[in-house]
Amino acid sequence: MKSLFLSILLLLSTLSIQSTELNKKYTLWYNRPAYNRGGDFSRIVSRGFPYDEDWEKWSLPIGNGAMGACIFGRTDVERIQLAEKTMGNKGAYSMGGFTNFAEIYLDIHHNYAQNYKRTLRLNDAISTVSYIHEGTEYNREYFASNPANVIAVKLKASQPGMISFTVRPVLPYLHSFNNEQTGRSGHVQAEKDLITLEGEIQYFHLPYEGQIKIINYGGTLSSVNKGDNNSFINVSKADSVILYITVATSYELKDSVFLLPNAEKFKGNAHPHGQVSKRIREAIEKGYECLRSKHIADYQHFFNRVDLQLTEHTPSIPTDKLLNQYRNGKHDTYLEELFFQYGRYLLISSSRQGSLPANLQGVWNQYEFAPWSGGYWHNVNVQMNYWPAFNTNLAELFIPYMDYNEAFRKAATGKAVDYITQNNPEALDPTVEENGWTIGTGATAFGISGPGGHSGPGTGGFTTKLFWDYYDFTRDKQLLKDHVYPALMGMAKFLSKTLKPQPDGTLLVDPSFSPEQIHQQGYYRSKGCIFDQSMILETYRDLLIAAKILNDKNPFLKTVKEQIGKLDAIQIGESGQIKEFREEKKYGEIGQYQHRHISQLCAMYPGTTINASTPEWLEAAKVTLQERGDKSTGWAMAHRLNLWARAKNGNRAYKLYQDILTYGTLENLWGSHPPFQIDANFGATAGMAEMLLQSHEGYIEPLPAIPDNWSKGSFNGLMARGNFKVSVKWENGTIQSIQILSKKGEPCRIKCKEAAIAQVTDERNKLVKVKRFGNDILEFKTRKGENYEIIF
């Protein structure tokens, strides 16, 4: 009876999944395994970091927010490289960084294969391997379950008794404990059908544990222990085998992580053995098919929200060959769609509630020391990670960053006091909390920094823009009250104390740095650079709007109103450019001419100060964009893409999208700095959405930057500010229909060329009264939860 009930539940779940499927299958696929040449990872160095192109270019990533695995798909020795975001060590930074958890090898010994294919299916977040060896067809399936917090692997064959292999995990980078605090202990133990991996990170006194459970159907298992890091289980002549894998550390996200010394951060926390054992036990109880079904339903709850159709064509060649053709000028629109949806897949896989936010490598890392610590870099990178969360209908995926930010807020208050004491002591408030909070560029799962060195206090305002966008896209007043407003208020209090009065009556940040901009062999120190000033302006504007919504009368708001008119945040230079520095006259006379950062335009994107209602600034921004140039690192091209989209130049934005695919994308479609950085993926996905839909100028504008190459298409499910879900169809660059789901019931204002002749109907097919503003804007009232169609 119980099995019948479960079968019915699975059937209903399947029907539910099928009813929400997208119109197209999105799959990365390859006709050979990933390389795994092994050896010394430091044999190749990229920007000073070890670089293993086999892992970075060819492995395929799966993840559940907390854990990530890279699948190589090999038939001789399969490699599953495993990472977990709380697994950190000392690294190159005092606040520690992200490190590899384990390598899991499956010694299969199939040294040749026919009809080989490996895939990563974005529609259900499942990776597969299939091939024929000596007349038998072999199939493997991998997925990372968020509900169960396990990684599941299934191996099966077309004939019974043909599954034989060895499960051989290895703990990497083990070192004796030492005075440099770089030690890592580790031990692997195999017993019956379970392999346990456990050890401790010296720097943080951080225990860790992983377990691999082997469930065999038919055949036999035998365990072998040959030493601390040399234990394994042999599987012989099984019909099929399932592996359940999970790992954890003693890390708990709370303010003490950022306040206490390294040796005390996790003191008193429970050892991870209990939670790891529980996950494995519950996975076994549910069974593979149940876990698989729940994984798909959970994942598709997010992924299926956006459907994009720019072509009906699905190519029949492997993804690496498709990308190579694209690099050589044969541009395939399917690849452009695939890359867009891949960014959404990666965010779902690396940022889920209850886990840490997506870091610089998402949730994937094979190295002892992840490049740039695998941290949260606040002068553009972590912000870019979350740009696609809001407009591509994944707003809940920002919660991990919000939780992380609120956990470090007490430490950030201390950083604010330190900064003000050093740079503007006269402004220091004796009440600690009245100095607000701040964040510098560098941050990890274990610590944060304050501003200075090469990026000014504007990094904080750059960060709170994410909080405001979270509210603006959802219009959730409880969220505004509980999370967004406190973040804005605290940041504004800090920023108000970084400003110093000048003889001309302005208030300028001093010292001020435009992120990472170098002049005469050093980071250039200034007063009131455009980045810092404009990020304060953005924060102040958002705070004042929020205060009005909440009817808050905090006395500090008077200070904000007094200061906001003295910021002089945007300036135009002699070249007609948006200045980067106030003392700059002609473009490029200070700093690197084509620097990867383009921080003086953050007020244009992700900020909204520079827009169509400020035409002189908008034209000056285009001059800066033109002079800065297009070709750069992956994430930097992604920022330029979003900026050209905001400039409403569809063909130039499209060129940047092409450039990212051509110059900034690896064979597995990961973005590259180089080395691998995931922000390029997220920035490109946000950029495509920005080309298709904008809502930052007080109205919803479909197809604001549509390129000639996308003359026909449709999208369903992109989000606009005001919590409107928008769907659009167009042909020959002309909109045919617009559908709006009003999720909060606010007035809807639309800008489009056909507004003068447009009619609006509700879901009962009744005409809705509209107001028209000129020839291109219409407005109508909406009811919460109702659909509307605009027809022409």
Side-chain angles (χ1 to χ4, degrees):
M1 192 69 182
K2 183 178 179 181
S3 61
L4 176 61
F5 178 69
L6 288 174
S7 298
I8 293 171
L9 285 179
L10 289 173
L11 176 61
L12 290 174
S13 176
T14 303
L15 290 174
S16 174
I17 291 166
Q18 289 175 345
S19 67
T20 58
E21 281 187 351
L22 302 187
N23 291 323
K24 190 178 299 173
K25 302 296 183 185
Y26 293 102
T27 303
L28 284 70
W29 73 276
Y30 305 81
N31 59 8
R32 61 169 181 78
Y35 295 113
N36 186 29
R37 287 164 285 195
D40 182 6
F41 293 149
S42 64
R43 69 187 188 279
I44 304 173
V45 176
S46 177
R47 295 181 65 89
F49 295 102
Y51 173 59
D52 176 23
E53 67 174 284
D54 300 347
W55 176 78
E56 294 205 3
K57 286 186 176 183
W58 297 103
S59 67
L60 293 177
I62 60 173
N64 67 359
M67 292 185 293
C70 291
I71 311 301
F72 283 65
R74 299 193 62 80
T75 65
D76 51 359
V77 179
E78 169 64 304
R79 178 184 173 195
I80 303 171
Q81 187 275 314
L82 193 60
E84 200 269 357
K85 281 188 293 194
T86 69
M87 185 71 169
N89 59 9
K90 184 177 181 180
Y93 303 90
S94 61
M95 56 189 154
F98 189 25
T99 191
N100 185 343
F101 196 103
E103 302 281 348
I104 301 173
Y105 298 104
L106 308 183
D107 298 323
I108 299 171
H109 304 302
H110 293 168
N111 294 321
Y112 69 91
Q114 296 174 307
N115 298 344
Y116 179 91
K117 186 176 184 180
R118 65 185 175 109
T119 75
L120 176 58
R121 303 195 306 246
L122 304 189
N123 295 69
D124 58 11
I126 291 177
S127 182
T128 68
V129 175
S130 62
Y131 60 93
I132 295 173
H133 175 73
E134 295 184 348
T136 300
E137 182 179 349
Y138 292 89
N139 291 277
R140 303 201 295 265
E141 188 173 77
Y142 313 74
F143 64 85
S145 165
N146 175 267
N149 207 353
V150 299
I151 292 169
V153 182
K154 184 174 184 178
L155 302 89
K156 61 181 181 179
S158 61
Q159 300 178 46
M162 297 302 292
I163 302 292
S164 296
F165 66 101
T166 298
V167 184
R168 180 174 53 87
V170 174
L171 289 170
Y173 310 119
L174 299 182
H175 305 297
S176 299
F177 283 21
N178 52 63
N179 292 334
E180 288 75 32
Q181 297 289 303
T182 58
R184 173 179 174 179
S185 66
H187 176 76
V188 180
Q189 178 72 30
E191 185 175 355
K192 296 181 180 179
D193 59 357
L194 181 69
I195 304 178
T196 302
L197 306 86
E198 58 85 24
E200 183 177 329
I201 299 294
Q202 180 186 9
Y203 191 57
F204 296 116
H205 293 207
L206 180 66
Y208 65 89
E209 182 170 317
Q211 293 182 15
I212 305 169
K213 187 76 167 182
I214 298 98
I215 308 294
N216 61 303
Y217 297 88
T220 60
L221 303 180
S222 61
S223 59
V224 179
N225 293 286
K226 289 189 175 181
D228 282 348
N229 208 14
N230 187 18
S231 297
F232 48 87
I233 289 179
N234 294 314
V235 180
S236 179
K237 297 182 180 180
D239 300 334
S240 64
V241 175
I242 294 169
L243 309 180
Y244 296 122
I245 305 165
T246 192
V247 300
T249 74
S250 290
Y251 184 102
E252 294 179 18
L253 180 62
K254 49 189 178 182
D255 55 21
S256 58
V257 170
F258 306 96
L259 293 170
L260 294 177
N262 291 327
E264 299 179 23
K265 291 180 186 295
F266 311 110
K267 190 175 181 180
N269 291 1
H271 190 279
H273 175 76
Q275 61 172 307
V276 168
S277 299
K278 182 181 178 183
R279 291 179 204 164
I280 292 292
R281 183 173 63 252
E282 291 178 348
I284 295 168
E285 290 172 355
K286 290 172 183 173
Y288 184 84
E289 293 304 324
C290 180
L291 288 179
R292 186 181 188 276
S293 177
K294 288 186 175 182
H295 156 71
I296 293 172
D298 169 75
Y299 170 77
Q300 290 187 340
H301 171 70
F302 296 101
F303 187 74
N304 286 4
R305 292 176 182 178
V306 174
D307 199 359
L308 174 63
Q309 296 291 317
L310 298 175
T311 177
E312 297 178 358
H313 165 70
T314 300
S316 58
I317 62 173
T319 303
D320 55 323
K321 292 181 172 59
L322 188 66
L323 179 63
N324 189 56
Q325 287 185 0
Y326 199 95
R327 290 168 174 166
N328 289 310
K330 186 177 180 180
H331 297 148
D332 192 299
T333 309
Y334 173 84
L335 181 62
E336 294 164 2
E337 281 186 29
L338 179 68
F339 194 55
F340 168 81
Q341 293 287 19
Y342 189 51
R344 298 181 69 247
Y345 164 84
L346 292 171
L347 189 57
I348 298 167
S349 301
S350 61
S351 184
R352 298 295 297 275
Q353 190 169 2
S355 70
L356 287 168
N359 61 39
L360 204 60
Q361 281 75 34
V363 68
W364 299 279
N365 171 48
Q366 79 147 28
Y367 302 114
E368 181 175 16
F369 309 121
W372 298 281
S373 80
Y376 305 106
W377 296 85
H378 284 75
N379 60 9
V380 71
N381 311 99
V382 73
Q383 289 89 348
M384 188 175 290
N385 279 11
Y386 287 98
W387 288 352
F390 309 114
N391 58 5
T392 78
N393 212 339
L394 298 171
E396 306 99 308
L397 303 189
F398 179 65
I399 292 173
Y401 180 80
M402 185 174 72
D403 290 344
Y404 167 74
N405 181 288
E406 291 178 351
F408 74 57
R409 200 76 62 78
K410 284 186 180 179
T413 299
K415 298 294 183 183
V417 169
D418 293 344
Y419 182 92
I420 298 164
T421 300
Q422 180 179 348
N423 294 293
N424 195 14
E426 296 83 1
L428 187 69
D429 196 294
T431 302
V432 171
E433 291 75 18
E434 289 303 308
N435 295 291
W437 67 276
T438 189
I439 184 69
T441 300
T444 70
F446 308 94
I448 65 169
S449 66
H454 64 48
S455 298
T459 52
F462 202 11
T463 302
T464 50
K465 194 69 197 177
L466 290 170
F467 281 81
W468 176 252
D469 282 344
Y470 189 19
Y471 166 73
D472 212 12
F473 276 86
T474 62
R475 296 294 169 93
D476 183 333
K477 288 187 180 179
Q478 196 64 45
L479 171 73
L480 179 66
K481 180 181 178 181
D482 294 344
H483 301 282
V484 175
Y485 193 62
L488 287 167
M489 178 62 76
M491 181 53 60
K493 286 180 178 180
F494 165 71
L495 292 173
S496 72
K497 300 177 187 306
T498 69
L499 296 165
K500 296 179 182 178
Q502 304 299 311
D504 62 359
T506 58
L507 291 170
L508 302 182
V509 173
D510 181 16
S512 181
F513 299 86
S514 192
E516 302 184 37
Q517 182 60 279
I518 292 175
H519 186 67
Q520 296 178 347
Q521 285 75 55
Y523 293 122
Y524 185 71
R525 176 171 172 161
S526 177
K527 287 184 181 182
C529 79
I530 302 307
F531 171 74
D532 283 334
Q533 298 293 124
S534 64
M535 291 302 96
I536 296 176
L537 178 60
E538 291 278 340
T539 301
Y540 280 8
R541 284 181 170 179
D542 295 341
L543 178 68
L544 292 174
I545 296 171
K548 185 175 181 180
I549 294 168
L550 296 174
N551 195 29
D552 185 61
K553 307 296 183 182
N554 191 303
F556 173 70
L557 296 170
K558 182 179 178 181
T559 299
V560 172
K561 292 174 183 177
E562 290 172 351
Q563 290 187 346
I564 196 170
K566 300 177 182 179
L567 294 174
D568 192 24
I570 309 296
Q571 291 194 330
I572 298 177
E574 294 178 5
S575 301
Q577 84 281 17
I578 296 290
K579 289 184 177 184
E580 186 164 6
F581 302 98
R582 310 183 80 78
E583 58 270 37
E584 163 192 328
K585 294 180 180 179
K586 295 186 180 299
Y587 175 87
E589 66 182 17
I590 300 174
Q592 295 175 323
Y593 202 94
Q594 294 186 320
H595 195 269
R596 59 194 177 278
H597 284 266
I598 191 163
S599 305
Q600 63 268 49
L601 296 188
C602 287
M604 181 179 177
Y605 187 95
T608 61
T609 299
I610 301 173
N611 58 55
S613 68
T614 60
E616 290 186 7
W617 289 350
L618 191 59
E619 289 305 310
K622 294 177 187 177
V623 172
T624 296
L625 272 169
Q626 183 65 36
E627 294 302 315
R628 206 62 147 203
D630 290 348
K631 191 173 180 181
S632 190
T633 61
W635 66 262
M637 289 187 285
H639 194 185
R640 287 155 171 78
L641 158 63
N642 282 276
L643 289 163
W644 277 115
R646 283 279 173 95
K648 313 293 175 70
N649 189 327
N651 287 332
R652 189 62 176 270
Y654 179 57
K655 176 186 176 296
L656 263 299
Y657 196 80
Q658 292 177 312
D659 285 350
I660 295 168
L661 276 166
T662 302
Y663 305 112
T665 301
L666 303 168
E667 278 68 12
N668 62 0
L669 301 191
W670 265 349
S672 178
H673 185 57
F676 158 53
Q677 265 185 222
I678 206 165
D679 40 16
N681 293 101
F682 297 144
T685 292
M688 178 180 270
E690 201 71 19
M691 293 165 71
L692 297 170
L693 185 71
Q694 293 179 16
S695 59
H696 64 288
E697 295 175 317
Y699 45 75
I700 298 169
E701 185 174 6
L703 309 188
I706 197 76
D708 295 339
N709 280 38
W710 298 345
S711 61
K712 178 182 178 181
S714 68
F715 66 78
N716 183 319
L718 293 180
M719 298 302 294
R721 290 166 177 83
N723 207 346
F724 294 104
K725 178 182 172 183
V726 183
S727 302
V728 176
K729 292 182 180 179
W730 70 95
E731 289 186 16
N732 299 318
T734 301
I735 296 174
Q736 303 297 303
S737 67
I738 303 172
Q739 293 180 325
I740 304 285
L741 169 60
S742 177
K743 300 183 76 173
K744 294 298 287 187
E746 298 197 359
C748 182
R749 180 175 281 209
I750 303 280
K751 179 178 181 180
C752 59
K753 294 178 182 177
E754 302 82 2
I757 61 170
Q759 291 185 318
V760 180
T761 60
D762 63 18
E763 55 191 32
R764 292 169 292 279
N765 207 30
K766 291 184 178 181
L767 286 175
V768 176
K769 185 178 180 180
V770 301
K771 293 181 180 179
R772 303 184 197 275
F773 302 86
N775 293 320
D776 59 357
I777 293 179
L778 61 86
E779 181 179 291
F780 57 96
K781 294 180 179 179
T782 71
R783 292 188 180 93
K784 182 178 179 179
E786 292 206 3
N787 291 282
Y788 300 85
E789 185 169 10
I790 304 172
I791 53 178
F792 307 98

